[in-house]
């Protein structure tokens, strides 16, 4: 890890710790309500459909399908290390569960308690946003691999789509009332930290395999 990346990592970590502590102490932070109401002012049929569609991609069944497709994409190309690391992005699920259980922040509009086990823990609490964390880690890592291994239009299309989804997922969760803005910011911060660690682990493994 070079000095610049190390400084960025430490800054993100510090911000994540401060925000996580605040989320554990306060149900609503000053910018949460304002962000929610501002997004509600953008409501229209096209905007509603966009927000719901983006958010739907983070649902469990869809997320599993996306991960499977990504793993198969690299497996069929015989890029086994890349396939393994795409599968490793599922680690964000356990990170999300652990943080939600530690912080215990209630959702803006609590979900029905119709889940059990891990799913109940993930859906019951609000901080950090599991959708955002998943999008940052999964689509972020897929975009990183696309930059390295894809070429031409395919590379640009995959990266553009991945980045667009990462940007849109945060506002969609706030607009739909599933999370406060601070939950979303926490998801972005923690997701980026986890993404950096995955990329560093992948680069280390790549060197190890190449030797």
């Amino acid at each position: 890890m070079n000095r610049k990346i190390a400084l960025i990592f430490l800054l993100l970590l510090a911000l994540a710790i401060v925000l996580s502590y605040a989320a554990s102490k306060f149900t609503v932070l000053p910018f949460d309500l304002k962000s929610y109401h501002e997004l509600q002012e953008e409501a229209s049929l096209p905007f509603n459909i966009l927000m719901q569609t983006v958010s739907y991609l983070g649902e469990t069944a869809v997320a599993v399908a996306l991960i499977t497709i990504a793993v198969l994409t690299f497996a069929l190309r015989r890029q086994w290390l890349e396939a393994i690391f795409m599968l490793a992005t599922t680690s964000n699920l356990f990170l999300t569960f652990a943080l939600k259980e530690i912080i215990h922040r209630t959702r803006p509009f609590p979900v029905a308690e119709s889940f059990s086990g891990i799913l109940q823990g993930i859906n019951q609490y609000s901080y950090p946003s599991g959708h955002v964390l998943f999008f940052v880690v999964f689509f972020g890592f897929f975009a990183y691999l696309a930059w390295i291994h894809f070429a031409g239009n395919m590379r640009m299309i995959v990266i553009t789509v991945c980045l667009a989804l990462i940007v849109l997922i945060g506002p969609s969760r706030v607009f739909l009332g599933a999370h406060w803005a601070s939950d979303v910011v926490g998801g972005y911060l923690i997701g980026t930290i986890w993404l950096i660690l995955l990329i560093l682990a992948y680069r280390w493994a790549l060197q190890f395999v190449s030797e």
Side-chain angles (χ1 to χ4, degrees):
M1 184 185 300
N2 61 44
R3 186 175 180 181
K4 183 179 292 186
I5 295 177
L7 288 174
I8 292 173
F9 182 86
L10 290 175
L11 176 60
L12 291 172
L13 183 61
L15 291 172
I17 291 172
V18 171
L19 183 58
S20 298
Y21 178 78
S24 70
K25 296 299 181 182
F26 303 99
T27 302
V28 181
L29 295 180
F31 61 91
D32 284 332
L33 287 173
K34 183 178 180 181
S35 301
Y36 174 75
H37 291 305
E38 286 182 351
L39 278 170
Q40 292 305 309
E41 292 176 0
E42 302 297 324
S44 65
L45 183 58
F47 188 76
N48 294 357
I49 293 174
L50 176 63
M51 295 292 96
Q52 290 173 4
T53 301
V54 172
S55 187
Y56 178 71
L57 296 177
E59 296 300 317
T60 303
V62 181
V64 169
L66 290 172
I67 293 168
T68 302
I69 291 171
V71 171
L72 289 176
T73 296
F74 289 103
L76 291 173
R77 293 161 60 97
R78 297 186 181 279
Q79 294 174 314
W80 306 114
L81 183 62
E82 288 71 19
I84 290 171
F85 268 85
M86 284 308 311
L87 184 60
T89 62
T90 58
S91 58
N92 76 85
L93 175 68
F94 303 102
L95 177 62
T96 300
F97 172 69
L99 291 172
K100 284 179 182 286
E101 284 295 316
I102 292 170
I103 294 172
H104 274 218
R105 191 189 204 190
T106 57
R107 288 179 179 268
F109 305 100
V111 295
E113 296 185 3
S114 58
F115 301 95
S116 61
I118 292 179
L119 284 179
Q120 182 180 10
I122 291 174
N123 284 278
Q124 183 179 1
Y125 301 118
S126 185
Y127 184 95
S129 168
H131 277 63
V132 172
L133 214 157
F134 166 71
F135 271 53
V136 173
V137 174
F138 173 75
F139 288 111
F141 195 75
F142 192 60
Y144 174 76
L145 292 183
W147 176 259
I148 296 174
H149 297 289
F150 295 176
N153 291 334
M154 179 59 70
R155 172 197 283 178
M156 296 313 300
I157 290 172
V158 170
I159 292 175
T160 300
V161 170
C162 287
L163 293 180
L165 290 173
I166 291 171
V167 170
L168 290 171
I169 187 58
S172 79
R173 300 306 286 164
V174 176
F175 176 76
L176 296 173
H179 289 283
W180 295 118
S182 50
D183 299 328
V184 164
V185 174
Y188 279 123
L189 288 172
I190 297 165
T192 302
I193 290 169
W194 203 249
L195 176 61
I196 291 173
L197 291 175
L198 273 176
I199 290 174
L200 291 174
Y202 167 74
R203 292 175 63 175
W204 175 84
L206 197 61
Q207 292 179 344
F208 181 78
V209 171
S210 301
E211 290 180 355

